Structure formats: C-alpha cells, structure tokens
Amino acid sequence: MKTRKATAARASSSASASSSSSTLPLLSNMPRKSSLFKHTLIATVFFLLAIYAFFSTFFHSPFSPPDSSSPSFLDLDRISSQETPNISPHKVKVFMYDLPHKFTFGIIQQHSLARGGSPVPDVTTLKYPGHQHMHEWFLFSDLSRPQSDRLGSPVIKVTDPEEADLFYVPVFSSLSLIVNAGRPPGSGSDYSDEDMQNQLVDWLKGQEYWKRNNGWDHVIIAGDPNALYRGVDHVKNAVLLVSDFGRLRPDQGSLVKDVIIPYSHRISAYTGDFGVKDRKTLLFFMGNRYRKEGGKIRDLLFQILENEDDVVIKHGTQSRENRRAASRGMHTSKFCLNPAGDTPSACRLFDSIVSLCVPVIVSDSIELPFEDIIDYKKFSVFVETTTALKPGYLVSLLRKVPEEQIIEYQKAMKEVRRYYDYTHPNGTVNEIWRQVSQKLPLIKYMINRDKRLVKRELSEPNCSCLCSNQTGMISSL
C-alpha cells in the first residue's frame, strides 16, 4: 500500500513537473504580447479621436450659447424688419464722375439741334435718342440711381471718390460720333466730335484721381468701334467698354484689360413657342450690303445667296420701317446670317438671339461678350469666311440641320437672352459691371507695376498681354 502511494506520489510529482515545464515558455511570452496589445489599443484610440476631431471640425457646427452682441436664429424676425445695409465689403465700389454737360446731356441736345430741334433751358430733361449703341445711356442711368435701388448690382455706387475702387467716366462717346452722321456740310450744326474728344482728354488729365494712378482704375465706354478714335491713345490705360477691337491696336485694347459689351438690340424679342412650323425661311439677312474692310464679304455673300429659293437676303439701312421688316424676317426664319461689317461685330447678332433665330456667324476675327459664362457654340453656327464663300456650301450645311437641333438652339438662346437685354433687372447692365469688377486684381497689379517702370517711347506698339482674336475660327455646327 505504501509502495502504491509512493508510486502515485512520484507520478503526480512527475506530471506536475512536466506540466510546469510545458507552461513556462507561455508565461515567458506574456509580457511581450501584453505590451504589443497596449500599443495597438493606444494607437486605435488616437486614430478614433483624430477621426472624431476631423468630423467635428468640418461637418459639425457645435452649438454655442447665444452672445448678446451677435444675433441668433431667434432674432430673424427682428433682422428682417431692419433695413439691409447698402454697403458690402466684398463688392467693388464705383464712383461715377459728374461730368460737365457738354460730355453727356449737351451731346443729346446737339444731336437734337442737328435734326431741327430747338434749344431747351434744362438739357437734363432731354431724352436719349434710340440707337444701337445705347449702352452708354443704360450704364449712366444705372449709376444715377440711389444705391438703395441697386441692391442686386455686382458693384456698389459710392459718392465719395476716396472710397472708390474704380472711377466711371460716363461720356456719351457713341452718340457724339453720330451727331452729324448723314448730315450734309453746312446743315446748321457746327458740332465737332473731335473737339469733344480733345476736351474730354484735357478734362480727365486735370482730375486728381486720374493723375493718381495714371488712369488704370478708370472705366470708359466707347461702344461704337469708331468712338473716341482721336483720344484713345490718351486713355488706353483705362478699362475700355467696347463692342470689338476692330479699330484698336493691340497696345490700345485687349481681352485682358477691357470688356466686350453687346450692342443694344433693335428688334423686338420673339415671344412664340419653340419650333420651325412658323419659320418658313431657311436663312435671313437684312442690312447694308456694301461695307468696308472685312465687311466686303457681305457683297460676295449677296451674290452667292440672293437666288436661293428659301433664302431672304435684302439690302437695307437703319430706319423704323426697315427695323419692322427685319423683325418680321427674323421671327419667321430658322437661321439669321451674321457677317462682318466694317468691323468684326454688328448688332444683328444680338437681334438674332432675342428673335430665337439661330445665328450663322461669318466673321473670323469676332470677339463675343461674356464668354466666361456663355458658350456660343450651343446656339450658333460658325463658318469660316473662305468656306462660306464656296457656292452652295452654306445653304447645303443649314438644310442638313434637323428640326430637333434647331429647337435645342432656340432653347439655349432663350436661356441666355437676358444677357443682351439692357432693360432687364438682371440683364446686360449687371453683367457688364460683373465683368468690370473682375478686372480689379489686374488693375491693382498694373498700378503697382507702373510705379517702378521706366517710361520709354517705343517705335512699335507693345502688347504685353493677351490680344484680341487674330487666328480665325473653326467652322462647325
């Protein structure tokens, strides 16, 4: 019995020893694994905290107790009942010069006198005559309104020049150009557009704010391509509002410095439905057949198109009767021809758009307004000049355009035609000011750069910025 117990005890002792010896390696690894686990746990916690901080910062607005100095959502009724402040620190501030009347209303009177009108005691009561370059009147009228009536404008009108970022010179340069247009010599008016330009340049050069930055922060409208032709060299630092660069040298005007503005359309807007049911004419044009320079293409197009059955192409000058005829023609045509005139642009393009008559643009050097937001390829057909002059090419191209595509063109035109309406509350005027306000960083750059440059007389014009289109265009639908 004692022997069995002793044997059992030895066996138990041996088993225990064996068990202890097999367990020792496991126990010896425990500190290393425990340390690894702790590091992993700590890293995981920090990772989760980082994610929480990221989402709290960018996707969550923590509620903070209301501050007596700042309004909370409970104050909305009180805020809405108060007058909205007129001045926004983020908008460009524009000061309009109060020009002598000889540069504004006096020109209206001269225009009236040249047409048999009588002098009036107060020229500010005169009505600006309607014509395709009325943009100068609409911009002047806009800045003549109190700022409280201009809250939707991209720029702020200021009455203190010290607050201004930009200075607008509201000269009626396009109207001045046509005071004696079509009037025979000795017809009773001794008005001189050239004298007006010279006087304007002298007046500007005497202004403190023009001299301060050499005119870089000024904005001058010269909508007619020939407007200010005599004085442009003296004011070329300013932002010029122009219809094209046809009469400007590269050192006088460019897309970088200046703003392309649309003509004031003279055709009533089309108010009918989309479609071609009531548009029986394939292609329509009515305008002056004989033009100079690039406009010589008009006569060549007349020769090619005037015998086509579904094309209406007529010679006509500006008159009330011709405008009515042009309106009827555009409203009943699928496509409207827009060839170059004496310069690359013409008012006919904008008449076409408001008429929902698809523009066919044959003007290789044309520049178009507001191209940063408007894609003209969505509603216009561009044809390179030499291609358009191939007999049969143009009408063949247009006849292949399906009705569905014409309707898409019409829809696109309707979406953008407010940009060509100077009377629309959010139309052309606002868009011009938006374009002008975008020039401010460049203006500040040029002002600072001008302070360090040594002035030299150059024998050749120097254009150190992007120039206007000299490359032609791609013909396509």
Side-chain angles (χ1 to χ4, degrees):
M1 188 67 179
K2 288 181 181 180
T3 302
R4 285 197 300 269
K5 288 182 178 180
T7 302
R10 284 195 300 271
S12 175
S13 174
S14 175
S16 176
S18 175
S19 175
S20 297
S21 64
S22 65
T23 305
L24 285 175
L26 295 176
L27 292 174
S28 65
N29 288 334
M30 284 298 290
R32 184 184 303 170
K33 291 189 175 183
S34 175
S35 175
L36 180 62
F37 174 76
K38 287 179 181 179
H39 284 302
T40 303
L41 181 62
I42 291 171
T44 303
V45 170
F46 274 108
F47 177 73
L48 293 174
L49 287 174
I51 293 177
Y52 174 79
F54 175 81
F55 277 89
S56 296
T57 302
F58 294 100
F59 298 97
H60 177 64
S61 297
F63 177 78
S64 58
D67 180 30
S68 60
S69 63
S70 61
S72 69
F73 66 94
L74 298 176
D75 297 315
L76 288 177
D77 290 338
R78 177 177 60 82
I79 294 172
S80 62
S81 65
Q82 294 177 348
E83 183 179 356
T84 304
N86 288 341
I87 302 298
S88 167
H90 305 295
K91 289 187 177 182
V92 173
K93 299 177 178 65
V94 178
F95 174 83
M96 181 170 72
Y97 280 110
D98 183 13
L99 293 181
H101 285 164
K102 63 183 176 180
F103 302 127
T104 54
F105 288 102
I107 297 176
I108 299 178
Q109 171 146 288
Q110 292 295 333
H111 185 274
S112 173
L113 293 175
R115 285 151 184 78
S118 301
V120 296
D122 182 5
V123 293
T124 63
T125 62
L126 292 172
K127 184 179 179 181
Y128 190 97
H131 68 103
Q132 62 185 356
H133 295 296
M134 287 187 68
H135 24 51
E136 58 194 19
W137 171 255
F138 287 111
L139 293 175
F140 171 77
S141 298
D142 176 59
L143 288 181
S144 296
R145 296 185 296 159
Q147 179 57 30
S148 58
D149 293 342
R150 304 183 62 262
L151 296 182
S153 175
V155 299
I156 293 171
K157 167 191 172 180
V158 293
T159 55
D160 183 355
E162 286 296 324
E163 298 178 4
D165 299 305
L166 300 174
F167 298 82
Y168 181 61
V169 183
V171 58
F172 294 167
S173 56
S174 294
L175 183 62
S176 176
L177 185 69
I178 63 171
V179 164
N180 289 322
R183 294 290 174 287
S187 59
S189 173
D190 58 355
Y191 180 79
S192 170
D193 175 53
E194 292 186 353
D195 287 347
M196 186 282 296
Q197 295 180 48
N198 292 334
Q199 292 171 22
L200 176 70
V201 169
D202 291 342
W203 186 88
L204 274 175
K205 288 184 174 180
Q207 301 305 303
E208 171 189 355
Y209 295 100
W210 176 273
K211 292 186 288 187
R212 184 174 66 180
N213 291 317
N214 201 23
W216 286 111
D217 50 2
H218 282 56
V219 181
I220 301 177
I221 189 165
D224 188 295
N226 292 309
L228 295 182
Y229 69 94
R230 190 180 184 89
V232 68
D233 264 333
H234 300 281
V235 299
K236 63 183 180 180
N237 284 356
V239 177
L240 302 178
L241 308 182
V242 297
S243 56
D244 63 35
F245 299 114
R247 292 284 190 263
L248 298 175
R249 299 191 312 267
D251 66 312
Q252 293 173 333
S254 78
L255 290 173
V256 171
K257 180 180 72 71
D258 306 312
V259 174
I260 298 292
I261 62 176
Y263 287 68
S264 177
H265 69 81
R266 305 288 284 148
I267 299 299
S268 57
Y270 180 74
T271 58
D273 296 330
F274 302 125
V276 298
K277 179 181 177 182
D278 298 323
R279 294 179 181 267
K280 306 299 183 184
T281 301
L282 175 70
L283 180 64
F284 177 84
F285 173 84
M286 185 173 182
N288 198 325
R289 176 172 181 167
Y290 305 103
R291 308 302 290 181
K292 296 172 288 185
E293 300 177 15
K296 292 178 181 178
I297 188 180
R298 291 190 181 186
D299 182 44
L300 299 175
L301 288 170
F302 262 81
Q303 297 174 35
I304 292 173
L305 296 170
E306 60 188 351
N307 293 322
E308 296 287 346
D309 292 337
D310 50 357
V311 173
V312 175
I313 184 165
K314 298 179 179 179
H315 172 74
T317 54
Q318 287 283 347
S319 70
R320 185 172 300 177
E321 182 180 348
N322 283 344
R323 284 199 301 273
R324 285 196 292 264
S327 181
R328 288 192 299 269
M330 288 187 170
H331 291 182
T332 56
S333 300
K334 301 177 183 70
F335 297 93
C336 285
L337 184 62
N338 292 272
D342 291 340
T343 61
S345 66
C347 67
R348 197 163 291 97
L349 169 63
F350 311 105
D351 292 338
S352 302
I353 293 173
V354 300
S355 299
L356 302 189
C357 182
V358 181
V360 179
I361 299 175
V362 186
S363 180
D364 295 352
S365 299
I366 194 170
E367 296 294 353
L368 299 167
F370 317 147
E371 280 201 270
D372 60 331
I373 58 170
I374 296 176
D375 182 359
Y376 285 82
K377 297 278 285 184
K378 289 184 176 180
F379 55 83
S380 304
V381 178
F382 292 86
V383 184
E384 195 268 336
T385 298
T386 56
T387 304
L389 292 177
K390 295 177 181 178
Y393 176 84
L394 204 54
V395 290
S396 177
L397 175 71
L398 300 179
R399 285 170 184 155
K400 293 176 183 177
V401 181
E403 177 180 339
E404 295 76 15
Q405 187 170 352
I406 294 175
I407 293 174
E408 290 303 311
Y409 284 145
Q410 292 173 347
K411 290 179 179 178
M413 282 187 283
K414 190 169 185 179
E415 286 183 3
V416 301
R417 67 181 179 182
R418 70 175 173 89
Y419 291 106
Y420 312 105
D421 185 351
Y422 280 89
T423 64
H424 193 286
N426 191 27
T428 315
V429 171
N430 275 4
E431 189 54 34
I432 290 173
W433 290 133
R434 188 185 71 83
Q435 298 278 335
V436 168
S437 67
Q438 291 177 338
K439 304 294 182 181
L440 187 58
L442 175 65
I443 290 169
K444 291 180 177 179
Y445 177 93
M446 296 306 293
I447 288 172
N448 291 332
R449 179 176 179 269
D450 210 34
K451 293 175 182 177
R452 65 172 176 81
L453 293 181
V454 177
K455 302 294 186 267
R456 297 186 178 93
E457 290 296 328
L458 299 176
S459 58
E460 295 293 332
N462 176 33
C463 178
S464 58
C465 57
L466 177 65
C467 298
S468 56
N469 178 16
Q470 302 293 329
T471 59
M473 63 185 181
I474 300 172
S475 297
S476 67
L477 285 172

